[in-house]
């Protein structure tokens, strides 16, 4: 039987296991990336493990999430990260150089390689045929030390693209259409592999918009085959020699197939406040828009901003609409500036921002209360913009530019009918992605050779071995789809404590219940109870690390998001799956006890656990875990486990 493209790359990197769906496999990692909010812990853990030097072909440390230097804390972190990259042999991308995924795709992403990144949108270079997976920081630390990355072999879904995008429909509409059909849970446990005649009609950057937002489907990763479009892009970024032609075999078998006819697509928009709440733009036309932002790792490339610049050329944005362009990389800014497009956009009334995640995580450009903000980003979870009563819509750059011109949501096809000189800008790549690289420090140009830790950088907490008796109060009961933003909000005032776990922990789940952190510390142990898809969203390991610090020993949920579930194991918190009936019968404040000897049960491979509530009713909960995950849990988390392994030789 032939192989899918995913299987071919996995086969090339396989060090343990077999490529059978559901089986745990260990794969060699060629490249790692980390960013500033996850990176400080990655390097502190690297140090705690006593490792000397990065072992992967490429390790890159980006500073993109918290680039504004309000006081010393972010700056201290940046300096620490620069020193860690210097000491251990990683590339260091300075604050303001751009968003990790954009800078990585410009400089390092390559067909056939594996990439592990401590950021949930790591799958972006799947559009270049790289198998790129988002993971918790500790997984990245371990991979950076040369150990394999372990994952349950996902299902491989064939997303067959047919036809060609019509005018005004874009790559963003392809992924919004998939979100509309499949929902934010539709890709869980799956790798989406794109095939079909529609593939070659999409440029590599368009493909990367699609693979970037595969994360919103919950997919492990998404990948495109490589062809002349890949080669063309790599040549334009000056790395044509890294092109490799990669295709699935003709007789490859997939676990499922989805067909998308690109010719049927039209401009789409995700309404507040979930990326899968998608409708045609025409359905929400007329809604007035107070803010438009073009940028982020999804649509912040040169090719994303150029259409906006073309649409705004010689026009003015609406007086009612604040319009911001935040490029994904300094390279994009520099090129657009050299070509005169920045001046053109500024003349139209656009504010130009530093290349940073910024507004995507509520840092700067927070919308006015109860107003509509239209963004080209990938996420619109409630409150993520920095204000609770936000109304964030997600759309393509073209739809965003149309709204900026009109001051209200408008289908650009209709706007083009009204303004007879407005033409669909299409997709245009520059002849050459040509910009200075002064903000990317190579390992052999390192500024520092030892770690520099300021006062906001604390030690990494390590949990003791799993105990036999796990019992405590159900400290918080939550609904479905609790995101990592709910668990640890990513806003500036909170995430500036990312390297200071005791302080950061005070904010744990504060968006759900402000008293939670105090109650958890006082209880010194206890459980979280949640509905479906607990921990969806980002790879933020603080969302497990802080509950661990507060003493949380177990999470009882109807289902878990993939990366967060791995993070719970990594920080020694027992993730137990419960059915709906059990969920309904546990209330906040109930006394919960796992009846089994938990240490023995975990290490002996037991799957079903008995959960006793208030000393009376008993329910069954399931621990679905590989042998390795059980060992990690029993040791008290991955850091303790890795140290144990190193000591055992
Ligand atoms: Fe940054 Fe938002 Fe992407 S936080 S990495 S721009 S999803």
């Amino acid at each position: 039987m032939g192989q899918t493209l995913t299987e071919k790359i996995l086969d090339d990197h396989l060090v343990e296991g077999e490529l059978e769906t559901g089986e745990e496999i260990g794969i060699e990692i060629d490249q790692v990336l980390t960013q500033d909010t996850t990176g400080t812990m990655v390097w502190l853990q690297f140090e705690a493990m006593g490792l000397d030097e990065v072992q992967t072909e490429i390790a890159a440390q980006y500073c993109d999430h918290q680039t504004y230097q309000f006081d010393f804390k972010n700056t201290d972190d940046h300096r620490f990260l620069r020193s860690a990259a210097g000491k251990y042999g990683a590339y260091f991308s300075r604050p303001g150089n751009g968003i990790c995924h954009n800078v990585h795709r410009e400089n390092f992403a390559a067909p056939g390689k594996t990439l592990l990144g401590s950021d949930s949108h790591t799958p972006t270079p799947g559009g270049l045929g790289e198998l790129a997976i988002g993971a918790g920081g500790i997984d990245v630390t371990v991979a950076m030390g040369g150990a394999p990355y372990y994952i349950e072999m996902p299902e491989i879904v064939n997303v067959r693209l047919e036809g060609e995008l019509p005018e005004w429909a874009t790559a963003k509409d392809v992924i919004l259409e998939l979100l509309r059909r499949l929902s934010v849970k539709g890709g869980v446990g799956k790798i989406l592999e794109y095939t079909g005649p529609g593939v070659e009609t999409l440029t590599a950057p368009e493909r990367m918009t699609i693979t970037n937002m595969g994360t919103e489907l919950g997919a492990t990763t998404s990948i495109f085959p490589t062809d002349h479009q890949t080669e063309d892009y790599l040549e334009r970024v000056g790395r044509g020699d890294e092109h490799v032609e990669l295709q699935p075999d003709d007789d490859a078998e997939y676990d499922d197939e989805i067909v998308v006819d690109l010719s049927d697509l039209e401009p789409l928009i995700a309404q507040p406040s979930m990326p899968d709440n998608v409708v045609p733009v025409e359905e929400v036309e007329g809604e007035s828009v107070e803010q438009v932002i073009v940028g982020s790792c999804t649509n912040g490339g040169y090719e994303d901003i150029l259409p906006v610049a073309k649409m705004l050329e010689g026009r003015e944005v609406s007086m009612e609409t604040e319009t911001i362009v935040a490029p994904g990389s300094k390279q994009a800014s520099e090129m657009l500036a050299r070509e005169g497009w920045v001046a053109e956009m500024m003349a139209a009334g656009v504010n130009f921002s530093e290349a940073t995640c910024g507004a995507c995580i509520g840092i700067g450009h927070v919308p006015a209360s109860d107003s509509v903000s239209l963004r080209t980003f990938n996420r619109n979870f409630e409150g993520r913009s920095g204000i609770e009563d936000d109304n964030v819509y997600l759309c393509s750059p073209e739809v965003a530019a149309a709204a900026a011109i009109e001051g209200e949501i408008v289908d650009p096809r209709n706007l083009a009918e009204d303004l007879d000189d407005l033409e669909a800008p299409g997709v245009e790549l520059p002849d050459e992605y040509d910009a200075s690289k002064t903000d990317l420090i190579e390992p052999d140009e390192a500024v520092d050779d030892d770690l520099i830790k300021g006062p906001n950088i604390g030690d990494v907490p390590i949990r003791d071995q799993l105990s036999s008796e796990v019992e405590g109060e159900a400290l918080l009961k939550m609904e479905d789809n609790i995101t990592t933003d709910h668990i640890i909000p990513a806003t500036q005032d909170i995430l500036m404590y990312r390297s200071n776990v005791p302080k950061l922990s005070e904010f744990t789940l504060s968006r759900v219940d402000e008293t939670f952190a105090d109650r958890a510390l006082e209880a010194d142990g206890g459980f979280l109870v949640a509905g479906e898809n607990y921990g969806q969203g980002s790879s933020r390991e603080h969302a497990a690390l802080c509950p661990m610090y507060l003493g949380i020993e177990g999470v009882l949920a109807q289902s878990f998001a993939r990366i967060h579930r791995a993070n719970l194991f990594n920080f020694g918190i027992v993730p137990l799956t419960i059915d709906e009936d059990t969920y309904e019968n546990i209330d906040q404040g109930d006394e919960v006890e796992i009846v089994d000897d938990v240490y023995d049960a975990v290490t002996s491979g037991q799957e079903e656990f008995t959960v006793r509530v208030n000393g009376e009713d008993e329910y069954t909960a399931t621990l679905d875990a590989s042998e390795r995950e059980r060992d990690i849990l029993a040791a008290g988390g991955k850091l303790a486990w890795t140290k144990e392994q190193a000591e055992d030789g």
Side-chain angles (χ1 to χ4, degrees), residues 376-489:
T376 66
F377 302 176
N378 46 34
R379 291 191 167 153
N380 58 347
F381 302 144
E382 194 182 308
R384 185 177 168 93
S385 68
I387 184 164
E388 287 299 324
D389 60 344
D390 57 10
N391 295 292
V392 176
Y393 290 73
L394 307 174
C395 61
S396 68
E398 285 81 348
V399 172
I405 294 167
E406 278 299 274
E408 58 183 42
I409 298 177
V410 57
D411 186 320
R413 295 173 301 181
N414 296 338
L415 185 66
E417 270 177 27
D418 289 351
L419 308 174
D420 42 349
D421 57 342
L422 182 67
E423 285 178 10
V427 181
E428 191 186 328
L429 270 53
D431 290 342
E432 197 184 350
Y433 287 81
D434 182 22
S436 51
K437 303 224 180 204
T438 41
D439 283 316
L440 187 64
I441 303 177
E442 300 197 11
D444 56 10
E445 293 174 337
V447 183
D448 324 275
D449 53 15
D450 218 345
L451 299 180
I452 307 173
K453 293 182 185 173
N456 192 41
I457 296 175
D459 289 333
V460 188
I462 304 184
R463 175 158 267 189
D464 294 337
Q465 182 178 296
L466 181 64
S467 72
S468 295
E469 289 171 18
V470 177
E471 57 187 324
E473 188 184 333
L475 288 159
L476 196 59
K477 182 169 180 182
M478 295 165 278
E479 299 171 349
D480 292 348
N481 295 323
I482 290 293
T483 70
T484 46
D485 280 341
H486 286 108
I487 307 172
I488 289 291

Side-chain angles (χ1 to χ4, degrees), residues 64-65 99-101 119 121 296-297 357 360-361 378 384:
D64 52 3
H65 281 59
I99 304 171
C100 53
H101 311 302
D119 189 277
H121 291 91
S296 89
C297 59
C357 295
C360 181
I361 40 170
N378 46 34
R384 185 177 168 93

Side-chain angles (χ1 to χ4, degrees), residues 20 92 111 158 168 180 251 399 438 487 500 590:
E20 303 270 338
F92 180 68
N158 180 4
W168 295 109
R180 188 184 70 75
D251 55 345
V399 172
T438 41
I487 307 172
N500 181 349
D590 282 352

